[in-house]
């Protein structure tokens, strides 16, 4: 069935394939719901699609899909989780993205990892544009890294210098601007047109609180 194919696509980490199968199964969910019994997997599949849209920064499409789901179903764990996750993103509560205790299904973890990477990259862009260095402990919290080893691996991907006490950003990655606040930097580098999340401009406040 298309439902099984959709779930297998997630196991294979194949998002385009998931999208194709979901398009097919969505027809049965909404166009034939008056003649077909509701599938026990319907809400899980719909929730996975919401997770996909969040992971792809397609917030407008996310809200469009939410409107197709009856409000009475919004408290179901498969639907409630992506709705809550989107609220965390809008609030700037980025650390909650990594909280896995309430994940309704293992397949959701795939999209959570993508979201974490997207947010981490945006915060990294802002940080390296504004600072010459950051203490290791600060960078680990700010970049949502759960261990120093994960932070070190990430710094290597970015080409930053990592030592026992701090991370040194590459000088060529810094903006040649006299910027009065982190908010201006994040507005410029993490604008809605680049990430579709205007909330990422508020990373500035989180940085200043941590520092």
């Amino acid at each position: 069935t298309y439902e099984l194919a959709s779930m297998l696509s997630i196991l294979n980490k194949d998002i385009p394939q998931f999208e194709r199968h979901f398009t097919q199964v969505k027809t049965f969910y909404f166009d034939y719901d008056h003649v077909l019994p509701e599938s026990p997997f319907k809400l899980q599949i719909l929730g996975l699609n919401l997770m996909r849209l969040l992971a792809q920064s397609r917030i407008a499409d996310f809200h469009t899909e939410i409107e197709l789901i009856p409000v009475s179903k919004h408290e179901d764990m498969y639907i409630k989780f992506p709705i809550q996750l989107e609220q965390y993103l809008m609030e700037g509560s980025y650390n909650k993205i990594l909280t896995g205790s309430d994940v309704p299904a293992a397949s959701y973890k795939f999209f959570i990892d993508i979201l974490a990477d997207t947010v981490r990259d945006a915060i990294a862009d802002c940080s390296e544009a504004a600072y010459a260095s950051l203490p290791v402990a600060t960078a680990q919290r700010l970049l949502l890294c759960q261990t120093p080893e994960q932070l070190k691996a990430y710094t290597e991907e970015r080409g930053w210098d990592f030592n026992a006490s701090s991370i040194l950003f590459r000088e060529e990655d810094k903006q040649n601007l006299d910027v009065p606040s982190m908010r201006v930097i994040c507005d410029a580098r993490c604008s809605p047109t680049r990430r579709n999340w205007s909330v990422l401009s508020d990373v500035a406040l989180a940085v200043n609180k941590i520092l």
Side-chain angles (χ1 to χ4, degrees):
T1 67
Y2 290 121
E3 288 180 325
L4 180 58
S6 298
M7 292 183 179
L8 287 175
S9 298
I10 300 302
L11 289 177
N12 293 329
K13 299 183 178 181
D14 189 335
I15 295 179
Q17 188 179 71
F18 171 81
E19 188 169 3
R20 289 193 296 271
H21 292 313
F22 176 77
T23 299
Q24 298 293 329
V25 76
K26 181 180 177 181
T27 301
F28 293 99
Y29 287 161
F30 294 107
D31 294 346
Y32 297 96
D33 57 329
H34 59 292
V35 295
L36 295 175
E38 182 171 310
S39 166
F41 300 106
K42 176 180 178 178
L43 295 179
Q44 182 176 353
I45 299 295
L46 291 176
L48 280 171
N49 185 58
L50 294 176
M51 293 294 294
R52 173 183 68 87
L53 295 173
L54 282 180
Q56 295 175 329
S57 305
R58 294 168 58 180
I59 304 302
D61 291 335
F62 175 88
H63 286 286
T64 297
E65 292 296 313
I66 284 289
E67 292 177 1
L68 296 176
I69 302 173
V71 175
S72 61
K73 302 294 186 181
H74 287 193
E75 288 301 311
D76 180 90
M77 63 179 181
Y78 295 116
I79 305 302
K80 182 178 181 179
F81 183 81
I83 290 176
Q84 190 173 55
L85 197 61
E86 192 258 354
Q87 291 174 346
Y88 290 155
L89 289 168
M90 295 301 102
E91 294 168 0
S93 302
Y94 304 121
N95 283 304
K96 293 182 180 180
I97 296 172
L98 301 180
T99 302
S101 58
D102 296 327
V103 176
S107 53
Y108 281 53
K109 184 67 168 56
F110 170 61
F111 291 114
I112 291 174
D113 290 342
I114 295 175
L115 274 171
D117 288 342
T118 300
V119 172
R120 183 181 294 114
D121 288 344
I123 294 173
D125 287 346
C126 295
S127 298
E128 69 181 2
Y131 296 102
S133 65
L134 282 176
V136 168
T138 298
Q140 183 175 328
R141 293 195 301 272
L142 186 63
L143 296 172
L144 310 178
C145 294
Q146 296 176 305
T147 65
E149 291 74 22
Q150 183 183 5
L151 175 63
K152 184 177 181 180
Y154 185 71
T155 60
E156 291 175 351
E157 291 178 11
R158 302 281 304 200
W160 299 337
D161 293 328
F162 181 95
N163 59 45
S165 61
S166 63
I167 291 174
L168 304 177
F169 300 121
R170 297 180 302 176
E171 192 63 30
E172 59 266 28
D173 289 333
K174 297 182 66 62
Q175 294 290 300
N176 186 25
L177 296 171
D178 182 16
V179 184
S181 72
M182 276 288 290
R183 174 175 288 278
V184 176
I185 294 171
C186 287
D187 282 343
R189 293 180 65 86
C190 305
S191 63
T193 56
R194 182 173 181 182
R195 295 290 181 185
N196 289 329
W197 295 339
S198 60
V199 70
L200 286 176
S201 64
D202 290 329
V203 169
L205 300 180
V207 173
N208 290 330
K209 287 179 181 178
I210 291 175
L211 295 176

